Amino acid sequence: MAKVIVVTSGKGGVGKTTTSASVATGLAKRGYKTVVIDFDVGLRNLDLVMGCERRVVYDFVNVIHGEASLKQALIRDKRLANLDILPASQTRDKEALVKEGVERVLNELRKTHDYIVCDSPAGIETGAVMALYFADEAIVVTNPEVSSVRDSDRILGILSAKSKRALDGDEPIKEHLLITRYDPNRVSAGEMLSIDDIIELLGIPLAGVIPESTSVLQASNSGVPIIHDENSISGLAYQDLVERLLGEEIPIRFITPVKKGLFKRLFGT
Amino acid sequence: MNTVQSNSSAPSKLSPKEDRAPAAVLKGSVFTLPILKISRCELQEIEFDLTQSLAAALDFFNNAPLVIDLALTRDLEEQLDFPALKTLLAKHNLVPVGVQNGSAAQTAAARMAGFAVLTGQTIDKIIENSAHKSHVKETTPAASRQESSSVSAPPATVESTTQVIHQPIRSGQRVYARGGDLILLAAVNAGAEVIADGNIHIYAPLRGRALAGVTGDTEARIFCHCMDAELVAIAGSYRFFDNIPEEIRQKSVQIYLTGEQLNIKPLD
């Protein structure tokens, strides 16, 4: 039974697209036939992070409007044969996401794929609501700062009030908390909210903590999802997240402060 | 690539068996609406009292659909001017949808003015005030946790109800217990609003706003397990917190009104 997972946050710039790319890649690496859909119509980014921006011909909106078949629009990942990308349209706006059309595309994908990862746009308007409407599970991406936590709280409210599962009275969407850009040193200095603070405020189970790392930006810029990078603690933390999504119980890593030596203090990391 | 299906047959030839989604479907549904009880026919008096109740309820009845109850005016000599009443309510951002409990003449006049006529509750049930709060109603999260502009309320046929909510109320959500108490077993987060005509009990942290007795009940109280509120109010007297004083911060407190004074006292 295919699962639809939405990656959402309310706030922009917290790491939704990075997370969508890595989670989809991680699930595909584990052997699941996976597709990742960019719901950010008008601000297409996922294709860049996945490194397939030069192969976009047709997009999600074309498929919704019947201007292209799903087969024509899906882009095969260049590294993994069982991973597909459905890019957003850059020239349209979010109103092009019609509920019936989105449902038809998702139902078609459910027949062929095990996991459908929906990369939500920021905000709480049409695009974000469409991305979460049909979800079975949600990864709520939060940075350790108050405004991000507040927006995540808002999006959790929308998940429990406006999603199809909520409106149909079905079993609620399974919610996972993902804390990204976590810097243990700044948390211990009291500059960032701690993991416990965030869990206490949001009240949903923690699925992962991605430590802040310069390798994430480098990976995004070069179009390789960070989960491929075995030398990056952020990449390893994303691998752990995927394991937990699949039901494994493994401890959270990379959350204790690292003491910098004199050399590093003088010359940075 | 782009397949446009043109259908040459006239719409009247479409039979229900044909493979098309219907453009219109009639369905039954139950709505709960606030009731405006009118006891006199002078529009000026009605407007004066209405303005006061609306002020006490903050902006809660903004654009609310409304049923006008005529039980207390049905035996009066004078007649209500329904078109003028409609204009008056519209001026206060209320949307009257129908009348109930009117005399035959009133009902006819209301119909003429474009009101629906509803078969409502019995007269003594209306006159009875909301002192009895025995009926407890468990609400499902989907029904009670609506987005900000909407209102959740118990059915009009039940005199008063208590709502019990088990899920957290999150930023941007608003819960209103109309005509009764509100009991919350999970947190009210920052940016959320919980509102009741009666008392509010919160057995979890209160980080958002809590407004009790919004229709003017000065005896209403707020009890909360962990005081971290942005704002609390009873019967329109409110206090917001930039900084919560140390003696009540994150403590169990009760909040009540003596005269105009809003008191916040630790429970232990």
Side-chain angles (χ1 to χ4, degrees):
Chain A
M1 184 58 197
K3 264 188 194 158
V4 178
I5 303 178
V6 62
V7 179
T8 186
S9 71
K11 197 171 169 65
V14 295
K16 285 182 294 297
T17 301
T18 303
T19 299
S20 300
S22 279
V23 165
T25 303
L27 289 167
K29 269 186 151 177
R30 288 284 303 253
Y32 295 97
K33 182 119 176 88
T34 305
V35 55
V36 55
I37 307 177
D38 191 349
F39 274 78
D40 206 347
V41 177
L43 290 168
R44 191 177 95 193
N45 277 171
L46 180 71
D47 51 325
L48 291 169
V49 177
M50 297 295 297
C52 64
E53 71 277 12
R54 293 183 179 280
R55 289 188 287 149
V56 176
V57 182
Y58 295 107
D59 57 52
F60 190 23
V61 173
N62 291 140
V63 181
I64 287 174
H65 291 199
E67 295 153 5
S69 71
L70 197 50
K71 210 175 150 197
Q72 286 172 309
L74 285 179
I75 302 171
R76 174 75 44 88
D77 184 67
K78 55 187 166 196
R79 296 168 200 87
L80 297 162
N82 56 347
L83 175 60
D84 291 316
I85 298 121
L86 185 54
S89 169
Q90 183 72 347
T91 52
R92 307 292 284 269
D93 60 33
K94 309 277 194 277
E95 307 310 314
L97 294 171
V98 196
K99 191 179 280 175
E100 292 69 29
V102 173
E103 182 168 33
R104 186 173 50 78
V105 174
L106 289 181
N107 284 342
E108 219 172 305
L109 288 169
R110 276 179 195 271
K111 290 181 206 149
T112 48
H113 291 73
D114 301 314
Y115 282 96
I116 302 164
V117 178
C118 301
D119 181 20
S120 172
I124 54 170
E125 290 79 26
T126 316
V129 173
M130 276 304 115
L132 65 80
Y133 187 78
F134 297 101
D136 302 308
E137 299 192 16
I139 300 174
V140 177
V141 185
T142 305
N143 288 169
E145 49 134 339
V146 282
S147 59
S148 176
V149 173
R150 167 80 64 94
D151 292 358
S152 292
D153 193 46
R154 184 87 169 89
I155 212 80
L156 281 164
I158 292 172
L159 282 169
S160 63
K162 285 193 173 178
S163 63
K164 186 168 191 296
R165 279 177 175 263
L167 295 171
D168 290 353
D170 290 345
E171 201 184 313
I173 292 175
K174 196 172 173 193
E175 299 155 339
H176 307 276
L177 175 62
L178 177 69
I179 301 172
T180 54
R181 310 200 65 168
Y182 189 82
D183 185 337
N185 291 309
R186 294 188 66 187
V187 171
S188 65
E191 298 168 6
M192 275 185 173
L193 291 177
S194 73
I195 296 171
D196 289 345
D197 290 343
I198 299 170
I199 294 174
E200 151 107 44
L201 285 165
L202 293 178
I204 60 167
L206 182 68
V209 178
I210 311 299
E212 175 79 304
S213 154
T214 50
S215 54
V216 175
L217 187 62
Q218 284 161 16
S220 290
N221 286 340
S222 55
V224 186
I226 183 70
I227 197 166
H228 282 299
D229 187 348
E230 302 273 343
N231 299 316
S232 157
I233 54 171
S234 302
L236 296 173
Y238 271 118
Q239 288 186 15
D240 291 357
L241 166 69
V242 171
E243 303 283 316
R244 288 188 205 101
L245 291 176
L246 293 170
E248 305 283 324
E249 282 192 27
I250 46 174
I252 306 271
R253 295 192 276 175
F254 318 117
I255 55 172
T256 43
V258 188
K259 260 220 166 109
K260 284 183 186 175
L262 178 66
F263 183 82
K264 279 199 169 174
R265 253 188 285 170
L266 285 176
F267 299 102
T269 50
Chain B
M1 190 188 319
N2 194 351
T3 54
V4 179
Q5 290 187 341
S6 66
N7 200 336
S8 56
S9 61
S12 59
K13 284 183 186 166
L14 289 172
S15 80
K17 279 178 191 162
E18 266 181 71
D19 190 20
R20 72 181 271 271
V25 178
L26 271 176
K27 279 191 175 172
S29 184
V30 178
F31 294 96
T32 51
L33 301 173
I35 289 172
L36 178 68
K37 283 187 276 182
I38 290 182
S39 54
R40 268 166 298 199
C41 296
E42 291 82 23
L43 290 173
Q44 277 191 332
E45 281 191 75
I46 292 174
E47 179 159 27
F48 180 79
D49 292 332
L50 183 66
T51 312
Q52 299 236 307
S53 327
L54 287 176
L58 300 172
D59 64 344
F60 209 82
F61 291 103
N62 228 345
N63 292 318
L66 191 78
V67 174
I68 301 163
D69 188 280
L70 301 167
L72 301 171
T73 61
R74 56 186 294 159
D75 298 328
L76 294 181
E77 292 277 312
E78 326 131 74
Q79 282 304 316
L80 254 175
D81 183 351
F82 284 99
L85 180 62
K86 204 171 183 177
T87 317
L88 187 159
L89 294 173
K91 201 172 102 192
H92 290 277
N93 292 325
L94 296 168
V95 186
V97 292
V99 298
Q100 66 170 10
N101 295 323
S103 64
Q106 284 178 322
T107 306
R111 258 208 190 102
M112 285 291 289
F115 287 98
V117 177
L118 307 170
T119 41
Q121 49 206 133
T122 61
I123 295 167
D124 30 298
K125 266 188 181 164
I126 298 161
I127 297 169
E128 208 176 64
N129 69 20
S130 56
H132 306 286
K133 289 164 181 171
S134 50
H135 188 99
V136 174
K137 177 172 157 255
E138 294 264 335
T139 48
T140 62
S144 60
R145 297 167 61 189
Q146 305 183 1
E147 282 299 304
S148 43
S149 58
S150 45
V151 174
S152 99
T157 44
V158 181
E159 300 135 60
S160 64
T161 58
T162 297
Q163 278 196 45
V164 182
I165 290 176
H166 300 267
Q167 277 73 28
I169 308 301
R170 301 192 179 275
S171 187
Q173 291 184 317
R174 184 188 244 186
V175 172
Y176 178 31
R178 188 185 299 281
D181 289 2
L182 182 57
I183 297 175
L184 297 129
L185 296 161
V188 178
N189 280 353
E193 244 174 50
V194 292
I195 305 164
D197 287 350
N199 307 297
I200 300 176
H201 306 252
I202 306 163
Y203 300 98
L206 166 61
R207 305 187 186 104
R209 299 165 172 234
L211 298 87
V214 285
T215 41
D217 183 2
T218 52
E219 297 297 309
R221 292 182 183 220
I222 299 168
F223 303 89
C224 87
H225 194 59
C226 177
M227 169 68 184
D228 222 341
E230 295 170 337
L231 178 143
V232 293
I234 290 171
S237 301
Y238 68 92
R239 181 169 164 192
F240 59 84
F241 298 93
D242 237 355
N243 281 304
I244 301 178
E246 195 57 40
E247 65 271 21
I248 54 167
R249 189 156 61 90
Q250 298 184 352
K251 300 264 164 49
S252 292
V253 298
Q254 67 161 322
I255 301 159
Y256 57 96
L257 211 54
T258 44
E260 295 280 287
Q261 173 74 36
L262 197 64
N263 305 289
I264 304 173
K265 292 281 175 325
L267 275 172
D268 30 41

